[in-house]
Amino acid sequence: MESQETAKRPIEPNGAVAAQDAEPATKRVKLDDAPVPQVQEEPSQPQPQAQAQPQTEDEKPTEQRQDDRDKRRGIAPIKKEYLVVPPSQVAKTAEVVDDDAAEGRTAPGAEAATGKDGKKKRPKGQNKEREFGIFADAQRLCNSVAWTPEFSPRHCKHGERCNALHDIRKYLKEGRRPDLKVFGGKCPVWETHGKCSSGWRCLFVESHMKEVEHEDGRKELVLTEDPTKIKPEAASLVPPEEESMDARAGMYNVVAPAVKLALSRKKIQHEKSDQYLKWMAKDSELARIHYHKQKDDDDVAKDYAAQYVEPPLKPSEKRRIYFGRETPVLAPLTTQGNLPFRRLCVELGAEITYSEMALGLPLLQGQKADWTLMRAHESEITPPRYTPTGIVDPAYDNSKDLKFGVQITAHAPWIAIKSAETLARYLPHLRVIDLNCGCPIDMVYKSGAGSALLDAPSKLERMIRGMNTVSGEVPVTAKIRMGVRDNHLTAQKLVERLALGAPDIRAVSGAPGCAAVTLHGRTRQQRYTKAADWSYIAECAALVKSFNEKADSLQDTIREADERSLPNGGRMYFVGNGDCYSHVDYFNHVDNAKVDSVMVGRGAIIKPWIFEEISAGQYLDKSATERLAYVEKFAKYGMEAWGSDELGLNYTRRFLLEFLSFFHRYVPIGLLEYLPPAMNDRPPAYKGRNELETLLASKNYLDWIKISEMFLGPAPPNFKFQPKHKSNAYENIEAEG
């Protein structure tokens, strides 16, 4: 929380603080195991009285060092001088965080779980139905004039029936709130791209408009552009009236509204999928007879191979992909994994990114919300870093690879297969299509999608085979968990099936064509309540290595697919996921678990510069000013993605607050007694090295709103925000200061 002293020294909108609060630049800390971080004290912090220097962790006997850790297991080891309560009270004040709440999307009106008595249980840990208020101008401006000079409006399709404003001067005076003063009153979008896609609705419009006097004395308001900043490809993306809704400068994989409309009216044909699904129905019936009579009649079981008919389509040659030690992966994160956040992570060193999970059926129905998740920033369509070491597919061409992939989920094979064909057809910049087989959220699980597929291996295999057949050159991958229940782990069998195919028919049908598998080291039942099991991930990694070797022995089968059509020449990559919070965690997992790469989820939201640490191979003690600069960047990137008008600005505010609900949990390493830090350690109440650092550590969402106002201006009166984590939803308290 802010102290009273903070209020006397306000934080400037550009992130600067008063001189006495100035901080040194990022401190680079190289530590092997767990020594005391040597960090310079902040100038604004009073120096502690001289006292005998305590032993460092390395100087203490091993037994004593372990005892000290055990005494505070689960509690972030913050130095005594920064605690706001006595050390004996730390356990009572430590924050309890429920990350299950932030894992998946929820639908409005979703039914609560029911208990044994049939009564609905009260939702725990998560705000199921959150409202954020209505973000709209006082009076709506008609699209026919929203991007045009005052005297040259477009034709209004509603004519005299239109109830929106057509008078630009009246709109600027009465229809919206006054221009914002943050960023010096200059539009961040215009400053970067030379034009603003929000037009007259922009809340910085005074910085890119002018009044032109004509020869007849009339004065006309016009929007200005800077041709030197406009990229040619951005100028021709879509018409201005559509650009405000669907495309922004620097955005790719923007699907035209006409395509989404055609999907919603079922006018898009899926020729490949329809042909394949017709074959799959017959083959599934043949397999059903085979499995049902396998125990009673060996002749019928053996007859499956004789009756097998090859599918009518053959997978296209796939683009080769690469996962390696130098390619840390940003996980597909629901809500938090939006385009501005991914852009920030790529800037900090993330080499592979994924969209938020989209539902397959809404994609096929042309729903705008799910198609918007498919957009990528121009920084994501560049090749990932590549240092060829070890076994690499000789056909891999790094120049044709890119960072961005999409993730979908589906409860039925036809949805997954048609979605894959549709995505490959309309998204030109796509690394992979990833099938989510691990989402634990009830809404997804009960529909038969997500982690429900872990208990349906045959259906999962059919999905991957079909998606691989119709996805063109785009490879198909899968993300799984260890299993649904703690006492029934299924990942090893699933990995084998995805690598080689079902045991009794693989010699006939070959491998499913899965290019990579990511394993989250938890079960659905565990959610985030236990640490990720990296020993189990290591076991699966060893199996994948043996499966890749075994796959070569299948090449002599008559019906084996052409090697050119197999992802990575038949080699399946394996990525581990779970509890990666530092470069030490990352390289330990790569070296000890023998995974190809590591996918980072919550660790990246709490500490986006984890990718920078991985690249540098050392801890980085980011100052509060540097961390606030990341918040500023997110705000700017959000306005570029969603617009600088009232609607876009408050979309940015909402997702910035979602980001801050994790970002505030970062504990600077300069405040820790020893390293390495642990993501699941609960931080006790503490003060930072200056007032800004204390503010950034606030658990009060009202303080998060205050931070957002530094860059997005005052929140509208009707703006609402509740974190997904109910433990942070302080409804009845006011922000200090």
Side-chain angles (χ1 to χ4, degrees), residues 182-215:
V182 293
F183 298 115
K186 295 182 179 180
C187 175
V189 179
W190 195 94
E191 290 292 311
T192 302
H193 299 286
K195 66 176 183 178
C196 176
S197 55
S198 295
W200 294 109
R201 297 189 180 104
C202 175
L203 287 172
F204 302 88
V205 71
E206 291 178 3
S207 67
H208 53 78
M209 61 171 277
K210 63 180 181 180
E211 192 173 50
V212 178
E213 185 171 356
H214 294 284
E215 295 179 356

Side-chain angles (χ1 to χ4, degrees), residues 66 87 111 148 221 267 354 379 417 432 464 534 536 604 653:
Q66 187 62 44
E111 292 186 3
T148 65
L221 294 177
K267 292 185 177 181
Y354 289 89
S379 62
I417 294 170
V432 300
I464 295 294
W534 276 91
Y536 186 83
R653 191 189 309 276

Side-chain angles (χ1 to χ4, degrees), residues 291-308:
Y291 283 116
H292 279 226
K293 294 189 176 182
Q294 187 173 8
K295 296 180 180 179
D296 304 323
D297 191 342
D298 288 341
D299 292 335
V300 175
K302 294 176 182 178
D303 197 43
Y304 174 77
Q307 298 182 54
Y308 179 79

Side-chain angles (χ1 to χ4, degrees), residues 236-344:
S236 60
L237 277 177
V238 287
E241 64 269 22
E242 295 179 359
E243 181 179 7
S244 68
M245 297 178 283
D246 292 290
R248 309 284 173 183
M251 305 303 167
Y252 290 80
N253 289 343
V254 179
V255 178
V259 173
K260 288 177 276 190
L261 181 61
L263 283 168
S264 69
R265 295 179 176 179
K266 298 182 179 180
K267 292 185 177 181
I268 300 292
Q269 300 298 316
H270 301 86
E271 296 88 355
K272 291 182 179 180
S273 296
D274 291 336
Q275 195 175 357
Y276 184 86
L277 288 166
K278 186 179 296 185
W279 169 86
M280 191 181 72
K282 295 179 180 179
D283 185 69
S284 297
E285 178 62 19
L286 181 63
R288 186 187 66 80
I289 296 173
H290 160 66
Y291 283 116
H292 279 226
K293 294 189 176 182
Q294 187 173 8
K295 296 180 180 179
D296 304 323
D297 191 342
D298 288 341
D299 292 335
V300 175
K302 294 176 182 178
D303 197 43
Y304 174 77
Q307 298 182 54
Y308 179 79
V309 177
E310 289 191 9
L313 300 173
K314 192 175 185 179
S316 302
E317 183 174 354
K318 301 297 178 183
R319 184 192 308 114
R320 290 346 191 212
I321 59 173
Y322 171 75
F323 289 92
R325 183 184 182 87
E326 70 275 34
T327 59
V329 183
L330 176 64
L333 300 162
T334 301
T335 305
Q336 279 80 12
N338 49 65
L339 188 147
F341 178 75
R342 298 197 312 269
R343 180 179 173 184
L344 176 62

Side-chain angles (χ1 to χ4, degrees), residues 389-404:
T389 56
I391 302 174
V392 180
D393 180 8
Y396 174 70
D397 184 351
N398 181 253
S399 66
K400 295 182 179 179
D401 199 358
L402 63 159
K403 297 182 173 73
F404 178 72

Side-chain angles (χ1 to χ4, degrees), residues 584-605:
V584 174
D585 293 335
Y586 181 87
F587 291 116
N588 279 345
H589 297 329
V590 172
D591 295 335
N592 299 329
K594 305 299 182 184
V595 294
D596 292 304
S597 186
V598 176
M599 179 178 283
V600 187
R602 291 177 299 158
I605 319 176

Side-chain angles (χ1 to χ4, degrees), residues 645-664:
D645 57 353
E646 189 70 59
L647 181 64
L649 207 72
N650 286 294
Y651 260 101
T652 300
R653 191 189 309 276
R654 174 204 162 179
F655 288 107
L656 174 58
L657 294 174
E658 302 280 12
F659 173 33
L660 292 174
S661 73
F662 281 84
F663 193 63
H664 85 280

Side-chain angles (χ1 to χ4, degrees), residues 72 92 96 187 193 201 349 385 396 426 444 447 454 476 556 593 665:
R72 301 174 65 177
K92 297 180 181 179
V96 178
C187 175
H193 299 286
R201 297 189 180 104
R385 187 170 44 167
Y396 174 70
Y426 294 110
V444 176
S447 73
L454 300 175
V476 173
D556 59 355
R665 287 163 51 181

